[in-house]
Amino acid sequence: MGIMTPYDALKKAREKNLDLVEISPTAQPPVCRIMDYGKYLYQQEKKEREAKKHQTKIVVKEVKFRINVDDHDYETKKNHVLRFLDEGDKVKATIFFRGREMTRTSLGRQILERLIKYVQEQSIVEFRPRQEGNTLHAILAPKKSAQEREKEKEKEAKQKAKQERMQKEKLQAQEKEKQPAQATVAAQAPNPTSQA
């Protein structure tokens, strides 16, 4: 609309039953816009809510080990780590040393290295095993993003549906083959009522 006095701009905004909103106060002269400010705020809030829906929260799950962990316990905790990574969560693997165990930190490092080696196909190592005080920890992140996991799940579901459909078709074809065979057997069998 060009350069005008604040009074004229307010007058035009009121004529249209809208608001005069200052866009850039530092510009010379200041830039203003005539619009429905309530509607603008509502649309901004709507956009923010929509953006929040598509955000993914990063959750860090912790799995604690001990240096004298049994094989069965180790396997169970390793399976927990794999499950957490499949769900898209980060995993913090921690080993806590008590008392004299501090002299055996190499055992703890071996356990974490063994875990990292086993889950390397499903994860990325964000932090190699590092010691802080009496704890040794490593952080693992999932290799695939949430979108990639969703695509994989959809692909698996499609394959499963395709296999089920093929099995149904196979069963139906077998049923059709049986029906003519049964009809010919029935035609060949003697009719007991006609003999009497």
Side-chain angles (χ1 to χ4, degrees), residues 65-69 74 78 93 95 97 103-118 128-131 136-138:
F65 293 91
R66 298 297 311 267
I67 62 168
N68 54 354
V69 66
Y74 172 79
K78 179 182 68 180
I95 297 182
F97 300 103
T103 61
R104 309 294 297 261
T105 56
S106 61
L107 288 175
R109 197 169 292 278
Q110 286 174 359
I111 291 170
L112 288 184
E113 290 295 340
R114 189 169 120 197
L115 176 72
I116 290 169
K117 190 175 181 182
Y118 186 82
R128 299 287 315 162
R130 73 166 67 160
Q131 182 133 8
L136 178 71
H137 58 84

Side-chain angles (χ1 to χ4, degrees), residues 25 31 36 70 74 83 98-99 146 162 166 169 185-186:
V31 179
D36 186 353
D70 288 334
Y74 172 79
R83 190 182 79 226
R98 288 193 291 192
K162 187 177 178 181
M166 289 174 70
E169 289 173 1
V185 169

